[in-house]
Amino acid sequence: MERTGVLDMMGSFNLYGMRSAGTLAAAIKRKHEPQRFVGDLLKAAISEKQARSTVAKLPLAKDIDDFAFKNAPINEGPMRDLAGGGFIAQQRNVVLVGGTGTGKTHLALVIARSCIRAGSRGRFFTTVDLVNQLEAEGRAGRQDGSPTISPASTS
């Protein structure tokens, strides 16, 4: 099979990390063993997927150490526990509720980013975005396809 055909098939399976890494060309040029070649392709796909999931849906890079707990009516301990991701293993949800400017979005981003770094999947929605998406799915008759949210913001 031609190189372009292989690259096209990688694209059809959304294996963009494999496709763009240059691994195919390097393996052919260096005459790598099949096990090494496949391993390099899989590593490229995993790296690309991790990078995409960490950056794509989270609007801002936030860290728990950036949050000013001293100036907010929020207990630091429970927030650090949530950032540890234990609620995921317990199959529990996190909903942040509070007034404007209390830090809900910042903390939601902190929790999501921390959990994604630890290997979980996550997606950030503002309440407005989530309601709009659910309404659109309802109009389209796809009410059973509600999105998975882990963790989310109530901003």
Side-chain angles (χ1 to χ4, degrees):
M1 176 174 283
E2 293 291 321
R3 181 175 179 262
T4 56
V6 172
L7 292 173
D8 289 343
M9 288 192 310
M10 288 176 179
S12 68
F13 280 105
N14 298 325
L15 300 173
Y16 301 112
M18 287 184 182
R19 188 171 184 219
S20 64
T23 306
L24 181 61
I28 292 169
K29 183 177 180 181
R30 296 183 181 132
K31 299 180 181 173
H32 287 165
E33 293 293 317
Q35 304 92 306
R36 180 175 177 188
F37 170 59
V38 171
D40 289 346
L41 286 173
L42 292 171
K43 285 178 190 174
I46 289 168
S47 294
E48 187 270 340
K49 184 176 180 178
Q50 287 174 337
R52 193 178 66 237
S53 71
T54 300
V55 176
K57 306 298 180 194
L58 302 179
L60 302 170
K62 298 285 186 176
D63 190 78
I64 196 148
D65 294 327
D66 298 331
F67 192 82
F69 284 102
K70 293 177 189 173
N71 302 329
I74 297 171
N75 293 332
E76 184 173 353
M79 290 301 112
R80 288 193 180 273
D81 288 344
L82 289 172
F87 69 95
I88 295 172
Q90 298 169 358
Q91 298 181 349
R92 301 191 49 107
N93 297 315
V94 174
V95 177
L96 303 175
V97 179
T100 303
T102 56
K104 298 178 305 295
T105 300
H106 184 136
L107 290 170
L109 292 169
V110 164
I111 293 166
R113 188 169 301 279
S114 176
C115 293
I116 289 169
R117 283 185 190 138
S120 296
R121 290 178 19 193
R123 177 107 191 251
F124 178 84
F125 292 93
T126 63
T127 301
V128 171
D129 291 341
L130 179 59
V131 169
N132 288 339
Q133 182 176 342
L134 292 172
E135 285 178 348
E137 288 181 5
R139 285 191 302 271
R142 296 183 313 204
Q143 295 170 341
D144 62 335
S146 60
T148 301
I149 306 164
S150 173
S153 171
T154 61
S155 296

